[in-house]
Amino acid sequence: MPRHAKKPRRLVAGERVYMWSMRHSHRRDRDGRAVDCRQTLTLSPQPAGTGGPLRIVFADGPGRYVPGGAPLGSGDVGLTRGADLNLHEPGAVRALFDAALARGWQPGERRALEVDGWQLLEAAAAARAGGCPTPLSSPVSGDR
């Protein structure tokens, strides 16, 4: 049975558990057309209230792609000439998580934090491609 696409998934890092989800969104222009596509990956420390969520946002722009589906897959983000990731893949989420930690994200802070995903993309894609362990590395837990 396939998993429900909007159901949060579990990530275990060290002694901590996080729930993560990915959403595609955009705003409408005056003519009702979809513009400003963005993918947002949200990681929420568990149990609830033990830290604020981290929102990693990939906004469409020159030299970047943030498709909402065909011909590219849902969850794909990348540079037209460079790194890319699929935000539905647990390993990609873990690589972004580790890149955010390396850049100073403090999971215990109680306020929500939104970061530009493009600032994390190349480090996360390199870690993912190299198969190298990342700081605080542990297996990503699948759906439960």
Side-chain angles (χ1 to χ4, degrees), residues 19-44:
M19 297 305 287
W20 63 275
S21 62
M22 195 277 304
R23 299 284 186 269
H24 181 84
S25 63
H26 38 63
R27 68 176 182 80
R28 301 276 175 188
D29 68 7
R30 291 182 200 167
D31 297 324
R33 290 181 300 226
V35 295
D36 298 333
C37 288
R38 51 197 287 144
Q39 298 278 28
T40 303
L41 172 67
T42 302
L43 292 136
S44 300

PDB file of all heavy atoms in Angstrom, residues 19-44:
ATOM      1  N   MET A  19       9.677  15.129  12.586  1.00  0.00           N
ATOM      2  CA  MET A  19       8.695  14.807  11.553  1.00  0.00           C
ATOM      3  C   MET A  19       8.965  15.771  10.402  1.00  0.00           C
ATOM      4  O   MET A  19       9.254  16.946  10.639  1.00  0.00           O
ATOM      5  CB  MET A  19       7.267  14.968  12.072  1.00  0.00           C
ATOM      6  CG  MET A  19       6.915  14.025  13.208  1.00  0.00           C
ATOM      7  SD  MET A  19       7.164  12.281  12.856  1.00  0.00           S
ATOM      8  CE  MET A  19       5.804  11.958  11.757  1.00  0.00           C
ATOM      9  N   TRP A  20       8.893  15.271   9.180  1.00  0.00           N
ATOM     10  CA  TRP A  20       9.129  16.138   8.034  1.00  0.00           C
ATOM     11  C   TRP A  20       8.057  15.959   6.973  1.00  0.00           C
ATOM     12  O   TRP A  20       7.461  14.893   6.837  1.00  0.00           O
ATOM     13  CB  TRP A  20      10.516  15.946   7.445  1.00  0.00           C
ATOM     14  CG  TRP A  20      10.838  14.589   6.880  1.00  0.00           C
ATOM     15  CD1 TRP A  20      11.297  13.510   7.573  1.00  0.00           C
ATOM     16  CD2 TRP A  20      10.762  14.174   5.511  1.00  0.00           C
ATOM     17  NE1 TRP A  20      11.508  12.462   6.717  1.00  0.00           N
ATOM     18  CE2 TRP A  20      11.185  12.835   5.444  1.00  0.00           C
ATOM     19  CE3 TRP A  20      10.372  14.810   4.343  1.00  0.00           C
ATOM     20  CZ2 TRP A  20      11.247  12.121   4.263  1.00  0.00           C
ATOM     21  CZ3 TRP A  20      10.418  14.092   3.149  1.00  0.00           C
ATOM     22  CH2 TRP A  20      10.861  12.768   3.125  1.00  0.00           C
ATOM     23  N   SER A  21       7.809  17.058   6.281  1.00  0.00           N
ATOM     24  CA  SER A  21       6.852  17.053   5.180  1.00  0.00           C
ATOM     25  C   SER A  21       7.331  18.033   4.118  1.00  0.00           C
ATOM     26  O   SER A  21       8.150  18.910   4.388  1.00  0.00           O
ATOM     27  CB  SER A  21       5.455  17.439   5.672  1.00  0.00           C
ATOM     28  OG  SER A  21       5.465  18.740   6.203  1.00  0.00           O
ATOM     29  N   MET A  22       6.818  17.847   2.921  1.00  0.00           N
ATOM     30  CA  MET A  22       7.190  18.705   1.809  1.00  0.00           C
ATOM     31  C   MET A  22       5.915  19.188   1.139  1.00  0.00           C
ATOM     32  O   MET A  22       4.964  18.428   0.966  1.00  0.00           O
ATOM     33  CB  MET A  22       8.045  17.904   0.815  1.00  0.00           C
ATOM     34  CG  MET A  22       8.789  18.738  -0.195  1.00  0.00           C
ATOM     35  SD  MET A  22       7.859  19.255  -1.635  1.00  0.00           S
ATOM     36  CE  MET A  22       7.289  17.724  -2.293  1.00  0.00           C
ATOM     37  N   ARG A  23       5.887  20.457   0.797  1.00  0.00           N
ATOM     38  CA  ARG A  23       4.720  21.050   0.138  1.00  0.00           C
ATOM     39  C   ARG A  23       5.169  21.911  -1.042  1.00  0.00           C
ATOM     40  O   ARG A  23       6.182  22.606  -0.966  1.00  0.00           O
ATOM     41  CB  ARG A  23       3.931  21.958   1.095  1.00  0.00           C
ATOM     42  CG  ARG A  23       3.375  21.275   2.297  1.00  0.00           C
ATOM     43  CD  ARG A  23       2.154  20.438   1.949  1.00  0.00           C
ATOM     44  NE  ARG A  23       1.523  19.879   3.125  1.00  0.00           N
ATOM     45  CZ  ARG A  23       1.804  18.694   3.654  1.00  0.00           C
ATOM     46  NH1 ARG A  23       2.733  17.943   3.144  1.00  0.00           N
ATOM     47  NH2 ARG A  23       1.158  18.254   4.709  1.00  0.00           N
ATOM     48  N   HIS A  24       4.364  21.875  -2.092  1.00  0.00           N
ATOM     49  CA  HIS A  24       4.556  22.759  -3.234  1.00  0.00           C
ATOM     50  C   HIS A  24       3.513  23.858  -3.124  1.00  0.00           C
ATOM     51  O   HIS A  24       2.349  23.587  -2.817  1.00  0.00           O
ATOM     52  CB  HIS A  24       4.365  21.994  -4.546  1.00  0.00           C
ATOM     53  CG  HIS A  24       4.562  22.848  -5.748  1.00  0.00           C
ATOM     54  ND1 HIS A  24       5.810  23.096  -6.274  1.00  0.00           N
ATOM     55  CD2 HIS A  24       3.696  23.537  -6.510  1.00  0.00           C
ATOM     56  CE1 HIS A  24       5.686  23.898  -7.307  1.00  0.00           C
ATOM     57  NE2 HIS A  24       4.408  24.181  -7.485  1.00  0.00           N
ATOM     58  N   SER A  25       3.918  25.092  -3.339  1.00  0.00           N
ATOM     59  CA  SER A  25       2.953  26.192  -3.274  1.00  0.00           C
ATOM     60  C   SER A  25       3.336  27.281  -4.267  1.00  0.00           C
ATOM     61  O   SER A  25       4.435  27.284  -4.815  1.00  0.00           O
ATOM     62  CB  SER A  25       2.894  26.773  -1.851  1.00  0.00           C
ATOM     63  OG  SER A  25       4.144  27.327  -1.504  1.00  0.00           O
ATOM     64  N   HIS A  26       2.433  28.191  -4.468  1.00  0.00           N
ATOM     65  CA  HIS A  26       2.680  29.372  -5.300  1.00  0.00           C
ATOM     66  C   HIS A  26       1.584  30.378  -5.006  1.00  0.00           C
ATOM     67  O   HIS A  26       0.623  30.078  -4.308  1.00  0.00           O
ATOM     68  CB  HIS A  26       2.699  29.037  -6.794  1.00  0.00           C
ATOM     69  CG  HIS A  26       1.695  28.030  -7.215  1.00  0.00           C
ATOM     70  ND1 HIS A  26       0.346  28.204  -7.123  1.00  0.00           N
ATOM     71  CD2 HIS A  26       1.852  26.787  -7.709  1.00  0.00           C
ATOM     72  CE1 HIS A  26      -0.284  27.148  -7.569  1.00  0.00           C
ATOM     73  NE2 HIS A  26       0.608  26.257  -7.921  1.00  0.00           N
ATOM     74  N   ARG A  27       1.771  31.550  -5.528  1.00  0.00           N
ATOM     75  CA  ARG A  27       0.728  32.559  -5.402  1.00  0.00           C
ATOM     76  C   ARG A  27       0.147  32.778  -6.786  1.00  0.00           C
ATOM     77  O   ARG A  27       0.700  32.341  -7.784  1.00  0.00           O
ATOM     78  CB  ARG A  27       1.271  33.845  -4.784  1.00  0.00           C
ATOM     79  CG  ARG A  27       2.233  34.596  -5.628  1.00  0.00           C
ATOM     80  CD  ARG A  27       2.655  35.929  -4.994  1.00  0.00           C
ATOM     81  NE  ARG A  27       3.559  36.631  -5.871  1.00  0.00           N
ATOM     82  CZ  ARG A  27       3.195  37.354  -6.927  1.00  0.00           C
ATOM     83  NH1 ARG A  27       1.935  37.494  -7.226  1.00  0.00           N
ATOM     84  NH2 ARG A  27       4.081  37.958  -7.687  1.00  0.00           N
ATOM     85  N   ARG A  28      -0.974  33.436  -6.833  1.00  0.00           N
ATOM     86  CA  ARG A  28      -1.652  33.719  -8.099  1.00  0.00           C
ATOM     87  C   ARG A  28      -1.428  35.186  -8.466  1.00  0.00           C
ATOM     88  O   ARG A  28      -1.490  36.060  -7.598  1.00  0.00           O
ATOM     89  CB  ARG A  28      -3.156  33.465  -7.972  1.00  0.00           C
ATOM     90  CG  ARG A  28      -3.492  32.053  -7.594  1.00  0.00           C
ATOM     91  CD  ARG A  28      -3.533  31.185  -8.794  1.00  0.00           C
ATOM     92  NE  ARG A  28      -3.744  29.793  -8.397  1.00  0.00           N
ATOM     93  CZ  ARG A  28      -3.662  28.808  -9.239  1.00  0.00           C
ATOM     94  NH1 ARG A  28      -3.358  29.027 -10.492  1.00  0.00           N
ATOM     95  NH2 ARG A  28      -3.857  27.578  -8.844  1.00  0.00           N
ATOM     96  N   ASP A  29      -1.183  35.434  -9.740  1.00  0.00           N
ATOM     97  CA  ASP A  29      -1.064  36.828 -10.184  1.00  0.00           C
ATOM     98  C   ASP A  29      -2.465  37.400 -10.429  1.00  0.00           C
ATOM     99  O   ASP A  29      -3.471  36.722 -10.194  1.00  0.00           O
ATOM    100  CB  ASP A  29      -0.157  36.951 -11.417  1.00  0.00           C
ATOM    101  CG  ASP A  29      -0.741  36.339 -12.682  1.00  0.00           C
ATOM    102  OD1 ASP A  29      -1.924  35.916 -12.685  1.00  0.00           O
ATOM    103  OD2 ASP A  29      -0.005  36.271 -13.686  1.00  0.00           O
ATOM    104  N   ARG A  30      -2.543  38.627 -10.909  1.00  0.00           N
ATOM    105  CA  ARG A  30      -3.844  39.290 -11.119  1.00  0.00           C
ATOM    106  C   ARG A  30      -4.754  38.549 -12.098  1.00  0.00           C
ATOM    107  O   ARG A  30      -5.966  38.664 -12.024  1.00  0.00           O
ATOM    108  CB  ARG A  30      -3.621  40.708 -11.628  1.00  0.00           C
ATOM    109  CG  ARG A  30      -3.033  41.601 -10.599  1.00  0.00           C
ATOM    110  CD  ARG A  30      -2.881  42.985 -11.146  1.00  0.00           C
ATOM    111  NE  ARG A  30      -1.900  43.705 -10.345  1.00  0.00           N
ATOM    112  CZ  ARG A  30      -1.366  44.832 -10.683  1.00  0.00           C
ATOM    113  NH1 ARG A  30      -1.710  45.422 -11.816  1.00  0.00           N
ATOM    114  NH2 ARG A  30      -0.491  45.416  -9.907  1.00  0.00           N
ATOM    115  N   ASP A  31      -4.138  37.799 -13.009  1.00  0.00           N
ATOM    116  CA  ASP A  31      -4.916  37.050 -14.003  1.00  0.00           C
ATOM    117  C   ASP A  31      -5.238  35.630 -13.536  1.00  0.00           C
ATOM    118  O   ASP A  31      -5.800  34.848 -14.300  1.00  0.00           O
ATOM    119  CB  ASP A  31      -4.149  36.987 -15.326  1.00  0.00           C
ATOM    120  CG  ASP A  31      -3.933  38.369 -15.915  1.00  0.00           C
ATOM    121  OD1 ASP A  31      -4.837  39.219 -15.774  1.00  0.00           O
ATOM    122  OD2 ASP A  31      -2.858  38.588 -16.500  1.00  0.00           O
ATOM    123  N   GLY A  32      -4.852  35.288 -12.314  1.00  0.00           N
ATOM    124  CA  GLY A  32      -5.145  33.959 -11.778  1.00  0.00           C
ATOM    125  C   GLY A  32      -4.137  32.888 -12.143  1.00  0.00           C
ATOM    126  O   GLY A  32      -4.326  31.722 -11.808  1.00  0.00           O
ATOM    127  N   ARG A  33      -3.045  33.286 -12.797  1.00  0.00           N
ATOM    128  CA  ARG A  33      -2.013  32.310 -13.157  1.00  0.00           C
ATOM    129  C   ARG A  33      -1.114  32.027 -11.964  1.00  0.00           C
ATOM    130  O   ARG A  33      -0.811  32.929 -11.174  1.00  0.00           O
ATOM    131  CB  ARG A  33      -1.158  32.837 -14.306  1.00  0.00           C
ATOM    132  CG  ARG A  33      -1.898  32.906 -15.628  1.00  0.00           C
ATOM    133  CD  ARG A  33      -0.974  33.420 -16.694  1.00  0.00           C
ATOM    134  NE  ARG A  33      -0.519  34.754 -16.298  1.00  0.00           N
ATOM    135  CZ  ARG A  33      -0.475  35.806 -17.086  1.00  0.00           C
ATOM    136  NH1 ARG A  33      -0.811  35.705 -18.323  1.00  0.00           N
ATOM    137  NH2 ARG A  33      -0.070  36.976 -16.635  1.00  0.00           N
ATOM    138  N   ALA A  34      -0.656  30.786 -11.868  1.00  0.00           N
ATOM    139  CA  ALA A  34       0.271  30.401 -10.795  1.00  0.00           C
ATOM    140  C   ALA A  34       1.650  30.986 -11.088  1.00  0.00           C
ATOM    141  O   ALA A  34       2.185  30.824 -12.179  1.00  0.00           O
ATOM    142  CB  ALA A  34       0.353  28.893 -10.686  1.00  0.00           C
ATOM    143  N   VAL A  35       2.202  31.702 -10.123  1.00  0.00           N
ATOM    144  CA  VAL A  35       3.550  32.275 -10.235  1.00  0.00           C
ATOM    145  C   VAL A  35       4.285  32.043  -8.919  1.00  0.00           C
ATOM    146  O   VAL A  35       3.688  31.696  -7.910  1.00  0.00           O
ATOM    147  CB  VAL A  35       3.507  33.795 -10.555  1.00  0.00           C
ATOM    148  CG1 VAL A  35       2.899  34.028 -11.930  1.00  0.00           C
ATOM    149  CG2 VAL A  35       2.735  34.555  -9.508  1.00  0.00           C
ATOM    150  N   ASP A  36       5.583  32.252  -8.943  1.00  0.00           N
ATOM    151  CA  ASP A  36       6.410  32.121  -7.741  1.00  0.00           C
ATOM    152  C   ASP A  36       6.293  30.738  -7.104  1.00  0.00           C
ATOM    153  O   ASP A  36       5.989  30.592  -5.920  1.00  0.00           O
ATOM    154  CB  ASP A  36       6.073  33.192  -6.701  1.00  0.00           C
ATOM    155  CG  ASP A  36       6.328  34.600  -7.205  1.00  0.00           C
ATOM    156  OD1 ASP A  36       7.199  34.759  -8.082  1.00  0.00           O
ATOM    157  OD2 ASP A  36       5.664  35.525  -6.739  1.00  0.00           O
ATOM    158  N   CYS A  37       6.532  29.700  -7.907  1.00  0.00           N
ATOM    159  CA  CYS A  37       6.502  28.337  -7.374  1.00  0.00           C
ATOM    160  C   CYS A  37       7.575  28.173  -6.304  1.00  0.00           C
ATOM    161  O   CYS A  37       8.656  28.759  -6.390  1.00  0.00           O
ATOM    162  CB  CYS A  37       6.759  27.323  -8.483  1.00  0.00           C
ATOM    163  SG  CYS A  37       5.378  27.158  -9.612  1.00  0.00           S
ATOM    164  N   ARG A  38       7.249  27.360  -5.308  1.00  0.00           N
ATOM    165  CA  ARG A  38       8.212  27.082  -4.243  1.00  0.00           C
ATOM    166  C   ARG A  38       7.934  25.726  -3.629  1.00  0.00           C
ATOM    167  O   ARG A  38       6.797  25.295  -3.549  1.00  0.00           O
ATOM    168  CB  ARG A  38       8.221  28.182  -3.196  1.00  0.00           C
ATOM    169  CG  ARG A  38       6.881  28.542  -2.656  1.00  0.00           C
ATOM    170  CD  ARG A  38       6.826  29.886  -1.943  1.00  0.00           C
ATOM    171  NE  ARG A  38       7.474  29.887  -0.664  1.00  0.00           N
ATOM    172  CZ  ARG A  38       8.164  30.902  -0.159  1.00  0.00           C
ATOM    173  NH1 ARG A  38       8.271  32.012  -0.813  1.00  0.00           N
ATOM    174  NH2 ARG A  38       8.719  30.825   1.008  1.00  0.00           N
ATOM    175  N   GLN A  39       9.000  25.072  -3.225  1.00  0.00           N
ATOM    176  CA  GLN A  39       8.915  23.828  -2.477  1.00  0.00           C
ATOM    177  C   GLN A  39       9.387  24.165  -1.069  1.00  0.00           C
ATOM    178  O   GLN A  39      10.418  24.819  -0.892  1.00  0.00           O
ATOM    179  CB  GLN A  39       9.838  22.740  -3.044  1.00  0.00           C
ATOM    180  CG  GLN A  39       9.521  22.327  -4.448  1.00  0.00           C
ATOM    181  CD  GLN A  39       8.397  21.319  -4.529  1.00  0.00           C
ATOM    182  OE1 GLN A  39       7.514  21.260  -3.683  1.00  0.00           O
ATOM    183  NE2 GLN A  39       8.408  20.531  -5.574  1.00  0.00           N
ATOM    184  N   THR A  40       8.641  23.726  -0.080  1.00  0.00           N
ATOM    185  CA  THR A  40       9.012  23.972   1.308  1.00  0.00           C
ATOM    186  C   THR A  40       9.101  22.648   2.033  1.00  0.00           C
ATOM    187  O   THR A  40       8.130  21.898   2.100  1.00  0.00           O
ATOM    188  CB  THR A  40       7.988  24.882   2.011  1.00  0.00           C
ATOM    189  OG1 THR A  40       7.877  26.109   1.278  1.00  0.00           O
ATOM    190  CG2 THR A  40       8.418  25.190   3.439  1.00  0.00           C
ATOM    191  N   LEU A  41      10.281  22.372   2.554  1.00  0.00           N
ATOM    192  CA  LEU A  41      10.519  21.192   3.375  1.00  0.00           C
ATOM    193  C   LEU A  41      10.468  21.658   4.822  1.00  0.00           C
ATOM    194  O   LEU A  41      11.195  22.582   5.204  1.00  0.00           O
ATOM    195  CB  LEU A  41      11.899  20.611   3.063  1.00  0.00           C
ATOM    196  CG  LEU A  41      12.371  19.483   3.963  1.00  0.00           C
ATOM    197  CD1 LEU A  41      11.517  18.239   3.760  1.00  0.00           C
ATOM    198  CD2 LEU A  41      13.831  19.176   3.680  1.00  0.00           C
ATOM    199  N   THR A  42       9.600  21.054   5.623  1.00  0.00           N
ATOM    200  CA  THR A  42       9.459  21.436   7.031  1.00  0.00           C
ATOM    201  C   THR A  42       9.884  20.284   7.917  1.00  0.00           C
ATOM    202  O   THR A  42       9.396  19.159   7.751  1.00  0.00           O
ATOM    203  CB  THR A  42       8.006  21.836   7.355  1.00  0.00           C
ATOM    204  OG1 THR A  42       7.626  22.913   6.488  1.00  0.00           O
ATOM    205  CG2 THR A  42       7.867  22.285   8.802  1.00  0.00           C
ATOM    206  N   LEU A  43      10.810  20.559   8.836  1.00  0.00           N
ATOM    207  CA  LEU A  43      11.273  19.594   9.832  1.00  0.00           C
ATOM    208  C   LEU A  43      10.845  20.095  11.198  1.00  0.00           C
ATOM    209  O   LEU A  43      11.186  21.217  11.587  1.00  0.00           O
ATOM    210  CB  LEU A  43      12.794  19.469   9.791  1.00  0.00           C
ATOM    211  CG  LEU A  43      13.350  18.835   8.530  1.00  0.00           C
ATOM    212  CD1 LEU A  43      14.554  19.600   8.037  1.00  0.00           C
ATOM    213  CD2 LEU A  43      13.692  17.394   8.810  1.00  0.00           C
ATOM    214  N   SER A  44      10.113  19.261  11.939  1.00  0.00           N
ATOM    215  CA  SER A  44       9.601  19.661  13.251  1.00  0.00           C
ATOM    216  C   SER A  44      10.136  18.732  14.333  1.00  0.00           C
ATOM    217  O   SER A  44       9.871  17.523  14.302  1.00  0.00           O
ATOM    218  CB  SER A  44       8.072  19.602  13.261  1.00  0.00           C
ATOM    219  OG  SER A  44       7.555  20.463  12.285  1.00  0.00           O
TER     220      SER A  44
END
